[in-house]
Amino acid sequence: MGNSADIEFEEEDEQVTISHRKMNCSLNSLSGWYKMATKKPSSPKKKKTSSSTHWHSPPVIVIMKDLESFSASVLQEFIVISSGYVMDFPLVLIFGIATSPMIIHRLLSHSVSSLLCIELFQSMPCTEHLATVIDQLLLSTFFPFKLSGKALQVLITIFLYHDFSVKNFIKGLQLSVVEHFYTQPLSVLCCSLLESKKRIKNLSLAQCENLRHLPSFMRYVESQTPENQVKLLTSDVFLKERTEEFIEMLHSYHENYIPILKCLHLFSSILPKYPIGKQVRELYCACLERNIWETEDYNSAFLLLRMLAKDEIVATLQKCVAVLKPYSGKPLGSALQKLEEFLGQFQSLEENVSYMEDEETSPQKALQKKTDLYQLQKKLLEMKETRSAKKPTKFELLRNEVVDFIDGLVREYLPPPERFPLHEVIYFSAAGTLRRHLNAAPRVALHTALNNPASYLKCLESEGGSLSKTAPDICIAYKLHLECGRLINLYDWLEAFATVVCAADGSDSELSVDEITHARFIRAVSELELLGFVKPTKQKTDHVARLTWGGC
């Protein structure tokens, strides 16, 4: 309403800072502000009409993100008061419902709900949002950075089994980008093709050595002739020429990979039980991790493809042609031309249906007569032999040709990226790093921090699991409590703590515990109690109960 307010919405909490000046927050003041905001200068030539024109103005929209968390009485009073101003300004209430639309009638009485004109609409499922993100970012040649199969699987698993949050998936993708460009020195080549060619020419000696130490490059060197091996390992000029070829090969691989993957998904998504995945993300992960044509699921899927009806296979081919249309001038142009030829052959295909029906019904009529078990078995075997020996129809031959052609495209254009040299430059494969940062295990992290503080505090020297004299008090108390049983004697614990601390200070540990050491011990035990490692017990005086076992 034009008041001095600075409101920032965060994902988990809301930080709202409003001016200290008292604000008149009422629907009456909102109505007055709305009239002033939507007031238009009247033209002297036009006559005013008596009809109300406020519905042609933009409405005031109030969004309640979580309807179930609102108090029913407060919500009803707000709706009743708002209904009195409906002639002054148009008001739209948007209720975010996480359970069922019936919650509206449970929260609102009939007299209040009758004041509302209710329309139901549903937002897009989060899985569809995820598919859009993957399609526009990972299945795109405009975004050179890629994820390996395991890294992508980690992000998808966290999405499906933890939070269903597309925003968290994007944060995980951003973390992958940061980790890749921070930990991989050769990530400078993860850019557009023209830019990467410029950067290859300016590679330093250290960067050339980093190239030679890449596992994929070392495998490539081993497959070369001795003469080329010497050039690759000694000549930086020759190395840069080959590096430029490898980067071009990777970009060409992605340009061909994405449309063929989408065509394969079009075929796999119409199969029963979806052997190689219903969503494109499942198929993408499978293709990234291995040669998909060597899996049993792939073979069973292509067996089902050889049984598709004519309508299904024609409709799918038309969709594949639409996918490959933008790539008509590229290496996939021949594949597009071949698919269009298949469509023409299907359209001109005419089978002699009546002949097939007569041929198939004649043995079935013989089965309708009265016969004994032996004759029935004999006739069934004869029918099986005739069917196996029957010559395939033109449609079956054409269908098998289409399936074989799709299989050839998959084998040619969908190998895993590990087959290409220098794929580490573009692909981020540290799935363990993502799992450690995004799928945190707090108990394990706590145990690591308390048992070996040097892993976090670099100023401390690791002493191989023994008690460190310079460790924080809570770490000393934690390691001592690991040596105890179910019940811990506080006095014995204090004595052991004082022994370690006094040894660190260089004082005599046989003297009585001073007040400072006692206070440090009490604080350390209180912190362990806060973290859930110990708790007070009434079973024994001056004892605490240990709550965790197994080192974590």
Side-chain angles (χ1 to χ4, degrees):
M1 293 171 57
N3 294 297
S4 175
D6 180 18
I7 303 178
E8 295 180 358
F9 295 99
E10 300 292 338
E11 182 182 0
E12 297 179 354
D13 56 346
E14 296 181 2
Q15 300 175 350
V16 181
T17 306
I18 304 177
S19 63
H20 296 288
R21 181 169 55 86
K22 188 176 180 181
M23 297 171 59
N24 183 17
C25 297
S26 65
L27 284 172
N28 189 22
S29 60
L30 178 62
S31 175
W33 169 83
Y34 182 83
K35 291 177 181 177
M36 293 295 297
T38 58
K39 186 178 180 181
K40 297 180 180 179
S42 58
S43 176
K45 296 182 179 180
K46 294 183 179 180
K47 295 182 179 180
K48 291 184 179 180
T49 58
S50 59
S51 60
S52 178
T53 60
H54 66 276
W55 292 112
H56 299 288
S57 302
V60 175
I61 301 175
V62 179
I63 302 176
M64 302 181 181
K65 294 173 65 175
D66 189 4
L67 183 67
E68 291 87 347
S69 66
F70 280 87
S71 170
S73 59
V74 173
L75 190 62
Q76 291 186 42
E77 290 176 3
F78 175 71
I79 293 174
V80 171
I81 295 173
S82 301
S83 64
Y85 292 86
V86 73
M87 297 305 297
D88 296 335
F89 60 91
L91 181 63
V92 177
L93 305 180
I94 297 181
F95 298 146
I97 300 174
T99 53
S100 169
M102 293 303 295
I103 192 69
I104 297 176
H105 302 289
R106 287 199 291 269
L107 288 175
L108 306 177
S109 62
H110 177 70
S111 59
V112 175
S113 61
S114 61
L115 299 173
L116 300 173
C117 177
I118 300 177
E119 292 185 13
L120 295 178
F121 65 95
Q122 191 173 5
S123 61
M124 186 187 299
C126 56
T127 52
E128 294 187 19
H129 282 295
L130 177 65
T132 304
V133 171
I134 292 176
D135 183 66
Q136 294 184 359
L137 294 181
L138 298 181
L139 298 180
S140 171
T141 55
F142 299 105
F143 192 50
F145 172 80
K146 304 293 179 186
L147 290 176
S148 68
K150 291 183 179 179
L152 179 59
Q153 192 62 52
V154 167
L155 295 181
I156 293 176
T157 301
I158 294 174
F159 172 84
L160 293 177
Y161 297 103
H162 287 81
D163 52 16
F164 278 107
S165 173
V166 178
K167 189 174 292 185
N168 287 344
F169 180 88
I170 295 175
K171 287 183 178 179
L173 187 59
Q174 292 171 340
L175 174 63
S176 304
V177 174
V178 172
E179 283 288 332
H180 180 68
F181 282 92
Y182 179 72
T183 59
Q184 176 56 263
L186 297 171
S187 58
V188 293
L189 303 180
C190 183
C191 54
S192 64
L193 183 58
L194 293 176
E195 184 65 25
S196 62
K197 289 182 178 180
K198 297 178 183 177
R199 295 181 181 183
I200 289 172
K201 295 178 181 178
N202 298 324
L203 287 177
S204 62
L205 293 175
Q207 289 173 326
C208 290
E209 287 302 316
N210 288 332
L211 277 172
R212 294 187 176 102
H213 285 87
L214 288 178
S216 61
F217 183 81
M218 294 172 68
R219 289 194 298 269
Y220 172 77
V221 171
E222 291 173 357
S223 64
Q224 297 299 300
T225 60
E227 183 181 353
N228 283 340
Q229 288 181 357
V230 173
K231 288 183 179 180
L232 287 169
L233 297 176
T234 58
S235 174
D236 290 346
V237 177
F238 187 72
L239 174 67
K240 291 178 181 180
E241 292 176 358
R242 287 298 175 91
T243 301
E244 189 172 332
E245 294 177 6
F246 295 150
I247 296 298
E248 287 181 357
M249 191 186 306
L250 280 170
H251 282 271
S252 177
Y253 164 70
H254 292 145
E255 288 182 359
N256 300 328
Y257 186 99
I258 295 169
I260 297 300
L261 178 73
K262 292 180 178 179
C263 290
L264 179 60
H265 173 252
L266 289 173
F267 278 98
S268 66
S269 60
I270 63 174
L271 298 178
K273 296 185 179 179
Y274 313 105
I276 52 178
K278 181 180 179 181
Q279 303 292 337
V280 68
R281 62 172 182 269
E282 302 170 3
L283 184 59
Y284 185 41
C285 288
C287 292
L288 286 175
E289 291 180 359
R290 66 185 73 87
N291 292 330
I292 191 172
W293 56 86
E294 296 177 354
T295 62
E296 294 182 3
D297 294 335
Y298 179 86
N299 295 327
S300 61
F302 270 71
L303 285 176
L304 293 173
L305 287 178
R306 297 182 190 277
M307 294 185 284
L308 284 179
K310 179 182 177 182
D311 295 340
E312 290 177 317
I313 200 167
V314 168
T316 308
L317 282 176
Q318 290 173 346
K319 294 178 182 177
C320 291
V321 168
V323 170
L324 296 179
K325 277 283 186 185
Y327 304 90
S328 58
K330 297 180 180 179
L332 293 178
S334 58
L336 173 62
Q337 185 178 358
K338 188 67 175 176
L339 292 180
E340 290 175 342
E341 291 178 6
F342 284 138
L343 280 176
Q345 292 177 16
F346 274 114
Q347 291 171 0
S348 61
L349 190 63
E350 293 181 0
E351 294 182 306
N352 192 353
V353 180
S354 60
Y355 172 75
M356 291 178 58
E357 289 180 352
D358 293 341
E359 189 175 345
E360 291 179 0
T361 53
S362 56
Q364 293 174 0
K365 288 180 180 179
L367 289 177
Q368 294 175 1
K369 299 177 182 179
K370 275 191 174 183
T371 181
D372 56 7
L373 182 60
Y374 174 75
Q375 292 293 332
L376 176 64
Q377 209 170 19
K378 184 179 178 182
K379 288 178 180 177
L380 287 174
L381 287 172
E382 290 177 357
M383 289 175 58
K384 183 179 179 182
E385 290 176 0
T386 54
R387 283 185 178 179
S388 60
K390 187 175 66 173
K391 186 178 180 180
T393 63
K394 291 182 179 179
F395 166 70
E396 291 173 345
L397 291 173
L398 184 57
R399 180 178 59 190
N400 290 339
E401 190 177 350
V402 170
V403 174
D404 291 337
F405 180 72
I406 298 297
D407 180 49
L409 290 178
V410 171
R411 294 172 184 267
E412 182 179 358
Y413 293 110
L414 295 186
E418 285 78 7
R419 181 178 294 185
F420 295 90
L422 306 188
H423 68 271
E424 298 94 340
V425 172
I426 293 178
Y427 282 84
F428 175 74
S429 58
T433 303
L434 291 180
R435 192 179 294 109
R436 185 169 63 253
H437 286 295
L438 300 177
N439 196 12
R443 289 184 62 186
V444 177
L446 274 176
H447 173 73
T448 304
L450 296 176
N451 193 49
N452 185 22
S455 60
Y456 290 93
L457 303 176
K458 303 302 180 183
C459 58
L460 298 178
E461 294 183 1
S462 178
E463 298 188 3
S466 62
L467 282 170
S468 175
K469 301 175 183 180
T470 57
D473 293 343
I474 187 175
C475 298
I476 298 174
Y478 177 79
K479 284 193 174 183
L480 291 172
H481 112 285
L482 291 178
E483 302 172 0
C484 301
R486 186 174 63 86
L487 295 177
I488 305 175
N489 188 313
L490 284 173
Y491 182 77
D492 295 341
W493 196 4
L494 172 61
E495 288 288 331
F497 179 84
T499 301
V500 176
V501 171
C502 291
D505 296 339
S507 58
D508 190 0
S509 60
E510 296 182 357
L511 297 176
S512 59
V513 179
D514 59 357
E515 294 180 354
I516 295 178
T517 305
H518 197 181
R520 290 169 61 183
F521 174 75
I522 292 174
R523 183 177 63 181
V525 173
S526 300
E527 290 172 348
L528 289 177
E529 182 182 352
L530 179 65
L531 293 174
F533 290 104
V534 296
K535 73 171 184 178
T537 179
K538 296 181 180 179
Q539 295 182 9
K540 280 188 177 183
T541 309
D542 298 333
H543 281 68
V544 292
R546 182 179 171 184
L547 299 178
T548 58
W549 305 89
C552 58

